[in-house]
């Protein structure tokens, strides 16, 4: 079996608070999967989770729309907020199509996610040219990421760290799914490899990692809901912990991501209850 030397993600399972977070997430996920509505109507729960997850991810990227507005709207090209919500919705729909590729070629998946997020409209003004869609940024290209203002790694650093992340995913790990997904999310936020929509892509990749691991195979536990519910300030504070690289900081980021999954579970449990009552 893998050792921690060859499986660095596994070592993160022993960081402060991580084992407790992993256990709490596992129990929460098991509870919602055991709900009686899930046996008959899991597709409806999955669709609703994708919608609510997209709304939450867009909110963190500055487009905090009411769920009913997201549900009602058909045109997402009017302005920057609308484009952000449209990008989040497209990513939510696309993520499930990429699961089979993720473990073999995560970099291809990330490129596809950025392509899908940018959509037909290309990139927002000031975020580089359309030629930058679907590939890591180059020297001199700017990054449009409204939430994260941490120092930006150079394109050379981005390339090296993306390759390292991809190698870890392809090699597989004994680490719990929550650990792997949290690292994928945190690393992509830290790198901001694309000229735009990095936060949306990072959260979509976290979802793919959680679903592809088998923790949430039906995609009914939208962590993006929980990230939004905990708020931008808490999200940024936890991300600062990840950036610090300290055991406490990285452990706190993983625990934050775990709490986000649990809040996503709570959201889907409420949907189950509504369906059971015939109210939705």
């Amino acid at each position: 079996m893998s050792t921690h030397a060859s499986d660095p993600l596994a070592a993160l399972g022993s960081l402060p608070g991580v084992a407790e977070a992993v256990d709490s997430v596992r129990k929460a996920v098991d509870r919602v999967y055991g709900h009686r509505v899930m046996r008959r109507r899991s597709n409806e729960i999955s669709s609703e989770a994708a919608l609510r997850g997209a709304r939450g991810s867009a909110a963190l990227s500055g487009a905090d729309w009411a769920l009913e507005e997201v549900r009602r709207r058909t045109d997402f090209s009017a302005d920057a907020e609308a484009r952000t919500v449209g990008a989040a919705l497209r990513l939510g729909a696309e993520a499930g199509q990429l699961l089979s590729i993720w473990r073999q070629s995560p970099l291809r998946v990330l490129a596809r996610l950025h392509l899908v997020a940018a959509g037909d409209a290309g990139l927002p003004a000031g975020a580089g040219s359309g030629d930058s869609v679907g590939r890591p940024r180059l020297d001199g290209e700017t990054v449009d990421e409204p939430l994260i203002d941490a120092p930006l790694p150079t394109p050379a650093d981005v390339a090296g760290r993306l390759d390292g992340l991809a190698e870890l995913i392809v090699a597989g790990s004994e680490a719990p799914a929550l650990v792997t997904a949290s690292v994928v999310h945190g690393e992509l936020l830290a790198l901001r490899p694309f000229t735009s929509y990095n936060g949306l892509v990072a959260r979509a990749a976290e979802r793919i990692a959680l679903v592809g691991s088998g923790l949430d195979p039906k995609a009914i536990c939208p962590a993006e809901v929980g990230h939004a519910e905990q708020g931008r300030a808490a999200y940024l504070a936890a991300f600062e912990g990840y950036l610090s690289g300290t055991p406490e900081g990285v452990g706190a980021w993983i625990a934050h991501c775990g709490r986000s999954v649990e809040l996503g579970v709570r959201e889907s449990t409420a949907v189950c209850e509504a369906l059971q009552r015939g109210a939705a």
Side-chain angles (χ1 to χ4, degrees), residues 88-112:
L89 287 167
R90 289 192 297 274
L91 287 171
E94 184 76 9
Q97 312 303 312
L98 299 171
L99 293 170
S100 62
I101 307 170
W102 175 249
R103 282 295 298 272
Q104 282 75 45
S105 186
L107 298 185
R108 274 181 58 201
V109 169
L110 294 176
R112 175 65 185 167

Side-chain angles (χ1 to χ4, degrees), residues 233-264:
Y235 185 72
L236 289 173
F239 176 58
E240 286 294 325
Y242 180 83
L243 280 181
S244 75
T246 65
E248 294 77 15
V250 176
W253 168 251
I254 295 170
H256 181 88
C257 291
R259 179 62 181 153
S260 295
V261 175
E262 290 184 62
L263 290 169

Side-chain angles (χ1 to χ4, degrees), residues 15 49 84 95 143 164 172 177 203 213 226 235 245 251 264 275:
L15 293 179
T84 295
V143 172
R203 291 184 287 275
S213 68
Y235 185 72
L275 288 171

Side-chain angles (χ1 to χ4, degrees), residues 60-62 143-153 185-192 197-200 202-203 232-233 235-240 243 253:
L60 282 174
S61 286
V143 172
D144 177 38
E145 183 52 55
L147 185 61
I148 306 297
D149 60 3
L152 203 61
H185 183 173
E187 195 67 0
L188 292 174
L189 278 187
L191 296 178
R192 280 147 290 156
Y197 298 124
N198 287 289
L200 295 181
R203 291 184 287 275
R232 297 175 89 179
Y235 185 72
L236 289 173
F239 176 58
E240 286 294 325
L243 280 181
W253 168 251

Side-chain angles (χ1 to χ4, degrees), residues 65-248:
W65 290 13
L67 181 64
E68 290 313 311
E69 175 68 7
V70 177
R71 201 188 300 279
R72 178 190 68 80
R73 187 76 74 95
T74 56
D75 178 15
F76 295 98
S77 61
D79 53 41
E81 281 199 11
R83 287 193 296 270
T84 295
V85 175
L89 287 167
R90 289 192 297 274
L91 287 171
E94 184 76 9
Q97 312 303 312
L98 299 171
L99 293 170
S100 62
I101 307 170
W102 175 249
R103 282 295 298 272
Q104 282 75 45
S105 186
L107 298 185
R108 274 181 58 201
V109 169
L110 294 176
R112 175 65 185 167
L113 289 174
H114 188 243
L115 197 67
V116 167
D120 295 334
L123 297 173
S129 71
D131 292 341
S132 67
V133 174
R135 63 152 173 79
R137 56 188 166 82
L138 305 176
D139 284 320
E141 290 182 330
T142 57
V143 172
D144 177 38
E145 183 52 55
L147 185 61
I148 306 297
D149 60 3
L152 203 61
T154 66
D157 287 341
V158 169
R161 285 171 64 177
L162 278 179
D163 284 345
L165 182 64
E167 287 170 9
L168 289 175
I169 293 164
V170 171
S173 174
E174 295 175 8
L178 173 64
V179 170
T180 301
S182 301
V183 169
V184 166
H185 183 173
E187 195 67 0
L188 292 174
L189 278 187
L191 296 178
R192 280 147 290 156
F194 303 109
T195 55
S196 63
Y197 298 124
N198 287 289
L200 295 181
V201 168
R203 291 184 287 275
E206 177 188 44
R207 168 183 280 247
I208 289 171
L210 289 168
V211 174
S213 68
L215 176 67
D216 179 24
K218 295 182 184 293
I220 60 166
C221 307
E224 307 97 315
V225 167
H227 287 304
E229 188 171 329
Q230 293 187 85
R232 297 175 89 179
Y235 185 72
L236 289 173
F239 176 58
E240 286 294 325
Y242 180 83
L243 280 181
S244 75
T246 65
E248 294 77 15

